[in-house]
Amino acid sequence: MAATIPGATAVFRRHGIDFCFSGGLPLADAAKAQGLDPAGLLRELKSPPDGEGAAPASVSTPTLISLILSRFHEGHRRQWEELLYLSRKVESVHGQHPDCPKGLHTLLVQVAAELEDHMQKEEQVLFPAMLSGGSLFLVGPIACMMEEHDVFGDQLQQMAALTRNFTPPARACATWRALYSSLHHFVQEAGEHVHLENNVLFTRFNISI
């Protein structure tokens, strides 16, 4: 549904439904797990907001890859310098505060390096092969990318846990609030990124997810 219904991912995010790393559930089960009325959720999905673009599944492969590169690969790279700066500053200044996200900066340094390596493999090997028409050669690289996505998903959950779901203390300084706001945006974009690859792009090359 996230791949074929325009606006579905926004609805799922609004209700805290994971359509990416833990997707594949029947809608009724996903709704009940969040304490939602399945019929009401379905009505909401059938009424996308005005101006919502085409469903991802209807977009051509070259257009989809271009979107992934411009919105997500370039977007993640633009965010990293600021996220690393903010996390380092918050931990160094507020290390004695009981709500300080200790270990967040170290986690972000690790994720930044691993994500850059992951994106380079997509840009240099996987995406060019897909744009050339694909082949059985893609089975291994796609399986590798999906395994790395699973690790990435665990790391995003760690970010949420360390930040109390991106909720700063009541009297947090502007830097602390900016860190959590920016990191929350990154995590949302990262989930959308993985969703488009796992559930839309990769499925076009007959790879079971």
Side-chain angles (χ1 to χ4, degrees):
M1 299 181 83
T4 59
I5 299 177
T9 58
V11 173
F12 291 145
R13 278 200 306 271
R14 185 161 57 250
H15 292 297
I17 295 174
D18 184 356
F19 56 87
C20 177
F21 299 101
S22 300
L25 289 175
L27 182 67
D29 292 349
K32 291 176 181 177
Q34 296 300 114
L36 302 171
D37 172 36
L41 181 59
L42 183 59
R43 284 194 298 272
E44 193 172 352
L45 288 166
K46 290 182 177 179
S47 303
D50 293 338
E52 188 66 45
S58 68
V59 176
S60 71
T61 295
T63 300
L64 184 58
I65 288 176
S66 178
L67 169 65
I68 290 170
L69 291 173
S70 61
R71 175 178 170 181
F72 300 113
H73 285 209
E74 293 178 15
H76 296 335
R77 287 170 174 138
R78 285 194 299 268
Q79 287 183 287
W80 274 117
E81 182 177 356
E82 185 68 5
L83 285 172
L84 292 174
Y85 167 77
L86 292 172
S87 61
R88 181 172 57 249
K89 185 172 183 181
V90 167
E91 288 193 60
S92 64
V93 174
H94 302 288
Q96 300 306 311
H97 194 289
D99 291 333
C100 180
K102 296 178 182 177
L104 179 62
H105 179 71
T106 298
L107 175 62
L108 292 182
V109 169
Q110 176 187 348
V111 173
E114 292 175 357
L115 183 59
E116 179 60 31
D117 180 67
H118 178 90
M119 294 190 298
Q120 287 285 347
K121 286 184 283 191
E122 290 183 335
E123 293 167 5
Q124 297 177 15
V125 179
L126 185 60
F127 291 169
M130 288 178 168
L131 292 172
S132 296
S135 68
L136 290 176
F137 159 77
L138 292 178
V139 173
I142 288 179
C144 177
M145 294 298 97
M146 294 186 71
E147 288 178 1
E148 293 182 4
H149 286 170
D150 289 341
V151 173
F152 186 39
D154 291 340
Q155 292 168 327
L156 297 179
Q157 291 182 350
Q158 291 178 51
M159 294 176 197
L162 286 169
T163 61
R164 301 173 185 262
N165 203 28
F166 315 102
T167 305
R171 297 184 179 181
C173 68
T175 300
W176 203 334
R177 294 196 302 271
L179 169 62
Y180 283 15
S181 176
S182 297
L183 187 60
H184 191 199
H185 179 258
F186 167 77
V187 169
Q188 289 182 318
E189 286 290 280
E192 187 83 16
H193 179 184
V194 173
H195 158 64
L196 288 179
E197 291 187 357
N198 280 8
N199 303 329
V200 183
L201 180 61
F202 293 171
T203 61
R204 296 180 179 184
F205 296 87
N206 297 317
I207 301 299
S208 174
I209 62 172

